[in-house]
Amino acid sequence: MSAVGVEIPGYGIVGRAPFTLTLVHAVALLLAVVSLAVVFWHGLDERGAALAFGILIAVGELTRWSGAEERESAPLAAAGALAYALLGENAGHRTDHGVLEIVAVVVAAALIGCVPHVAQGRGPTADHLTRRVLTVGFAAVCFQPLYNQGRLMGWGGPSYALLLVSLLVLTALCDAVLAAAMAHARTRWPFGPLLRDELRATLGIGSAVCATGAVMSLAVAVVGLWALPVFSLPLLLTQLSVRRYAAVRVTYRQTIASLARATEIAGYTPTGHARRVAALSRAVGRELGLSEPDLTVLEYAALMHDIGQLSLVDPVPAGATSQLSADEQRRIALLGGAVVRQTGVDAEVAVVVERQADPYREQPVTARIVRAVNAYEEMAREAGPGGPLTALEKLRLATARDYQPEVVESLARVLLRGTLTLPQAG
């Protein structure tokens, strides 16, 4: 498998998509093209259902959000697509649309709904559309052949509803595995932690998507297509709540980033140092398999790791605290932790800031990462053009006492995945 670059803000890392990821995209594209071609040639079997669900999915894509805090940016479109894939009856009448018709309608509606986003330069990624096509195709393949062959004629009431819920849960699990596998192929981060984060996210908005998809399918079977707008409203309200929560988290992070800039404004650290350390620390944490909550703590601590320098009368040259004595480093770290606690930031962040100067064998892994990445960034900046390799060599030589070997090697793997260009110090 080819090497993949990791995008780190402030660093120019260039990579190319691996063969596995390209293959998955190709499979989804082939399925979409074949489905559209078959429907174009033979026409639609269930025009009313196709039109209603197509409009629902298009509206869902129109209301999608590009915020980074949401795993599922278009929950209404996802719920509508899954409900369409598991649709057996319409107002008491059996449907006879097949898998290819379902995929074709979902693809066409998703593309139509994405047009405004693409025009504004924030269109969906290939991964987003690939997951939509493959998950809907998976759900339709699991349900439609059984229903059209009459295998589910004896299923009714609770047993039929339980079947739909089970299929939706299975589809959600497959989508989580697919998302984790694609992220692993793109970034080479450990698959296990990526899957764990996807499953955790599925318990949030993903559970609402599955529940709404099941209810929509059952409601349309009884009362017809008029049930779609009625049962779309709760999911839209849920999406609005998730957006507001995500906006609060973004504001919270921006506040922390602003506090971290205090050392730059005061002239204690170079411009962009905290942001570079935070971005690289998060990448190393990913490489080591940290969960999403731990990565958030790590990022916040890395942003504020130098805030204790504000207590110094005379700034350290270039803010290079790694060159100070152990006692002076510990004093600055403790003062930084005290400042973090007074700002109201999570106590876990303060602990990481306080303990970044402790012997690495006594530190939590997040503090070990911040310490090693901070030292690397300072050494690389001082060493000039050959800074990255020189800094890594110095870190490796100091692993017996100052830095954890696993953290240093993870840092090296992150840096060596692509062509690294250090930014100019401010």
Side-chain angles (χ1 to χ4, degrees), residues 7 45 99 108 208 257 264 302 312 395:
E7 181 182 357
D45 294 325
V99 174
E264 300 175 8
L312 301 177
L395 289 179

Side-chain angles (χ1 to χ4, degrees), residues 28 30-41 43-44 50 53-54 57 84 97-112 132-133 136-137 140:
L30 179 61
L31 177 60
V33 170
V34 170
S35 300
L36 290 171
V38 170
V39 170
F40 180 79
W41 184 260
L44 294 170
F53 278 97
I57 295 168
Y84 188 38
H97 58 281
V99 174
L100 295 181
E101 181 170 325
I102 292 172
V103 173
V105 171
V106 170
V107 170
L111 291 177
I112 292 173
R132 180 76 78 234
V133 171
V136 168

Side-chain angles (χ1 to χ4, degrees), residues 311-332:
S311 64
L312 301 177
V313 177
D314 297 319
V316 178
T321 55
S322 63
Q323 308 301 322
L324 299 177
S325 65
D327 291 338
E328 188 66 11
Q329 289 185 43
R330 190 170 294 109
R331 186 179 76 85
I332 294 174

